[in-house]
């Protein structure tokens, strides 16, 4: 069927390809849904605060200079289910949100900008497989990037025909405007519609989105202006030379989407400064094409890409030169990466010689960048079920630390306010005489003050362990301090100095806050579960250590 010159695929074809997009998104990191765990602020901020203080007390609590309505709402929703299901609730919400822009790109309402189904399918595939995107993959801590992309789609597609779809999109725009800083960046985009309404122009479907975004932007601006983070912000331009700045932008915005982080990392040290200069020229050429051809979705991506890069300069790292590594801070360049790929797709539909350039850029991305970065780095299983079981066994008033990924985050601390108790997770297992080869080490705490690193306030216990009866990885490891259990993150890859021998995935680690242990003398040991998790070993005698209460 054809309408307004656009090719509208059958409903079955649309659903089938949508399912394919969902499957590809899952395949990039299957553990995100199959073994869900909290990612960074998902646990240390959103879930921790909702669990400890309640949903209503935190829904309007700003962080990093703005409101986070969507992840805080999901955190509140997760409180309605058993604790064991909380990471899965976060993962499902993040997965569906990340899939939403792909479905918009695929849908017939995008036909006003990409008439053919094949073109829309290619655009959706590029979005799902975009390189350099592991930081924003299936987590709510960075959900505002995908929420902004969904908003871009809502602003450029044809108006929805059904009342239900219009209502859902209105709700989504309201949530978007109160989640993250991007509604403030959208304000210039909707300002013409607002000015036209003030001058008495006839009301149309674009006015409601404009009002929602403008209202949210005003609220977020008020929150941001009162934020200590914004007040302390300093430009990264002052820390990077002009050549370094050119290298950062060229590396992340041009070469990462074409070569991928993994591909670029292999050649970055060999690229001369002139190569990064060519990357800047490439970005300028693609921007010229988007502006010349007035392709609205590309213009919006160009605008958001430029401003999101500028956010890096407002909220700098302690050492901005870390951005000279292709792996650092890729989320700030998500819009730019998508702009490069989708503008290349647009060029591939143009007449020669522009078509040749577009096909060449797409060919490099499809052959090198997408395969290099398609599988995201595997994150370790934090043993959430074990963490929840130990937490349930604690008495009321207890605090309990739980790891999050990436593991360099100190983790979250949950406070148990009720007196309901469950038995220790080891009480259901039978102890066995140790036949497990293992080793473990303790990084003793050092004297700390407020201006030292976070890890200095934590005890780190790490090492390796296997199930000696089957000479394979164990079923898990618990760190036991003074009889209190702390499930370790187990199954990490072994390095040359770990002593793990022929077992490559049997390393464990656990960070425990000194405040949770308390001052004084302590004993620490490890408990190793059998591979079938039906019994446990105590493979080594306890070690002694001491902590002190320090004051800044």
């Amino acid at each position: 069927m054809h309408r307004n010159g656009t090719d509208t695929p059958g409903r079955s074809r649309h659903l089938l390809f949508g399912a394919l997009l969902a499957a590809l998104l899952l395949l990039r990191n299957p553990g995100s849904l199959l073994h869900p765990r909290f990612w960074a602020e998902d646990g240390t901020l959103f879930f921790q605060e909702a669990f400890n203080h309640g949903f209503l007390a935190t829904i309007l609590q700003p962080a990093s200079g703005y409101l986070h309505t969507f992840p805080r709402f999901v955190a509140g929703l997760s409180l309605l289910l058993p604790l064991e299901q909380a990471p899965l609730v976060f993962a499902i919400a993040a997965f569906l949100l990340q899939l939403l822009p792909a479905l918009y790109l695929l849908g017939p309402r995008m036909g006003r900008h990409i008439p053919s189904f094949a073109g829309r399918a290619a655009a959706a595939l590029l979005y799902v497989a975009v390189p350099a995107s592991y930081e924003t993959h299936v987590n709510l801590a960075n959900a505002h990037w995908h929420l902004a992309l969904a908003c871009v789609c809502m602003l450029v597609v044809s108006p929805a025909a059904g009342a239900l779809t219009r209502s859902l999109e209105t709700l989504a725009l309201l949530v978007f405007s109160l989640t993250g800083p991007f509604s403030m960046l959208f304000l210039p985009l909707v300002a013409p519609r607002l000015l036209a309404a003030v001058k008495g122009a006839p009301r149309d479907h674009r006015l409601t989105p404009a009002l929602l975004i403008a209202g949210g932007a005003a609220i977020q601006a008020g929150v941001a202006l009162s934020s200590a983070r914004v007040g302390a912000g300093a430009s990264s331009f002052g820390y990077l030379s002009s050549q370094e700045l050119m290298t950062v932008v060229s590396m992340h915005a041009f070469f990462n989407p074409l070569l991928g982080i993994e591909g670029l990392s292999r050649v970055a040290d060999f690229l001369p400064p002139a190569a990064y200069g060519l990357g800047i020229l490439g970005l300028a050429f693609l921007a010229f094409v988007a502006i010349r051809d007035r392709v609205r979705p590309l213009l919006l991506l160009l605008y958001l890409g430029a401003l999101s890069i500028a956010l890096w300069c407002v909220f700098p790292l302690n050492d901005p030169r870390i951005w000279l590594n292709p792996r650092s801070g890729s989320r700030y360049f998500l819009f730019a990466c998508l702009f490069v790929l989708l503008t290349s797709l647009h060029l591939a539909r143009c007449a020669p010689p522009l078509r040749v350039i577009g096909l060449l850029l797409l060919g490099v991305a499809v052959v090198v960048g997408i395969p290099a970065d398609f599988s995201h780095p595997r994150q370790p299983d934090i043993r959430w079920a074990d963490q929840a079981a130990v937490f349930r066994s604690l008495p009321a008033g207890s605090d309990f630390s739980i790891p999050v990924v990436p593991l360099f985050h100190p983790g979250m601390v949950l406070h148990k306010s009720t007196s309901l108790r469950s038995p220790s997770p080891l009480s259901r297992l039978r102890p066995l005489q140790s036949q497990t080869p293992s080793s473990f080490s303790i990084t003793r705490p050092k004297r700390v003050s407020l201006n030292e690193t976070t890890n200095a306030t934590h005890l780190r216990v790490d090492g390796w362990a296997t199930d000696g009866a089957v000479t394979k990885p164990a079923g898990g490891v618990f760190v036991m301090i003074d009889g209190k259990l702390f499930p370790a993150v187990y199954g990490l890859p072994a390095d040359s100095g770990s002593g793990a021998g022929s077992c490559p995935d049997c390393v464990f680690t656990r960070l425990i806050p000194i405040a949770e242990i308390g001052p004084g003398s302590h004993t620490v040991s490890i408990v190793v579960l059998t591979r079938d998790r039906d019994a446990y070993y105590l493979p080594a005698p306890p070690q002694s250590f001491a902590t002190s209460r320090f004051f800044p």
Side-chain angles (χ1 to χ4, degrees), residues 381-412:
D381 187 355
I382 65 171
R383 308 277 168 170
W384 178 258
D386 289 339
Q387 312 286 355
V390 170
F391 181 75
R392 290 185 182 280
S393 72
L394 299 176
S398 298
D399 289 332
F400 186 65
S401 62
I402 299 179
V404 299
V405 293
L407 289 181
F408 58 77
H409 282 265
M412 59 180 172

Side-chain angles (χ1 to χ4, degrees), residues 3-192:
R3 192 176 76 177
N4 297 330
T6 64
D7 160 35
T8 325
R11 185 179 182 85
S12 58
R13 181 172 63 170
H14 185 272
L15 291 176
L16 181 62
F17 207 87
L20 173 64
L21 294 173
L24 290 175
L25 192 62
L26 176 61
L27 285 175
R28 299 198 69 176
N29 186 359
S32 59
L33 285 180
L34 301 180
H35 303 287
R37 73 280 285 173
F38 283 114
W39 171 276
E41 288 84 358
D42 287 354
T44 61
L45 180 65
F46 304 128
F47 183 74
Q48 173 181 289
E49 292 188 353
F51 187 91
N52 291 340
H53 306 295
F55 168 67
L56 294 179
T58 59
I59 183 63
L60 296 179
Q61 182 68 31
S64 301
Y66 38 82
L67 300 177
H68 298 264
T69 302
F70 182 65
R72 291 207 182 272
F73 176 81
V74 174
L77 181 64
S78 71
L79 298 181
L80 302 177
L81 299 175
L83 181 62
E84 289 79 2
Q85 304 302 320
L88 181 60
V89 174
F90 274 68
I92 291 175
F95 182 86
L96 293 177
L97 175 60
Q98 189 168 340
L99 184 63
L100 184 60
L103 298 180
Y104 267 111
L105 287 170
L106 183 65
R109 293 170 60 196
M110 190 62 72
R112 63 191 302 181
H113 302 290
I114 310 177
S116 70
F117 175 76
R120 298 198 300 274
L125 284 171
L126 289 174
Y127 164 77
V128 166
V130 60
S133 58
Y134 75 95
E135 285 188 340
T136 57
H137 184 76
V138 189
N139 65 74
L140 293 184
N142 296 314
H144 44 283
W145 300 89
H146 296 290
L147 197 52
L149 289 170
C151 183
V152 167
C153 293
M154 293 176 199
L155 292 178
V156 301
V157 297
S158 302
L164 178 59
T165 302
R166 291 196 299 271
S167 299
L168 291 175
E169 289 185 347
T170 298
L171 178 61
L173 287 169
L174 176 62
V175 172
F176 159 76
S177 68
L178 297 175
T179 301
F182 290 117
S183 60
M184 292 182 284
L185 304 186
F186 275 59
L187 191 56
L189 304 178
V190 299

Side-chain angles (χ1 to χ4, degrees), residues 1 21 133 142 175 195 214 252 255 278 312 320 360 390 398 401 429 440 453 471 479 482 493 499:
M1 180 184 296
L21 294 173
S133 58
N142 296 314
V175 172
L195 291 176
H252 290 272
F255 286 106
L278 289 176
W312 153 56
L360 177 62
V390 170
S398 298
S401 62
L429 307 178
F440 70 105
T453 61
T471 63
V479 175
D482 302 333

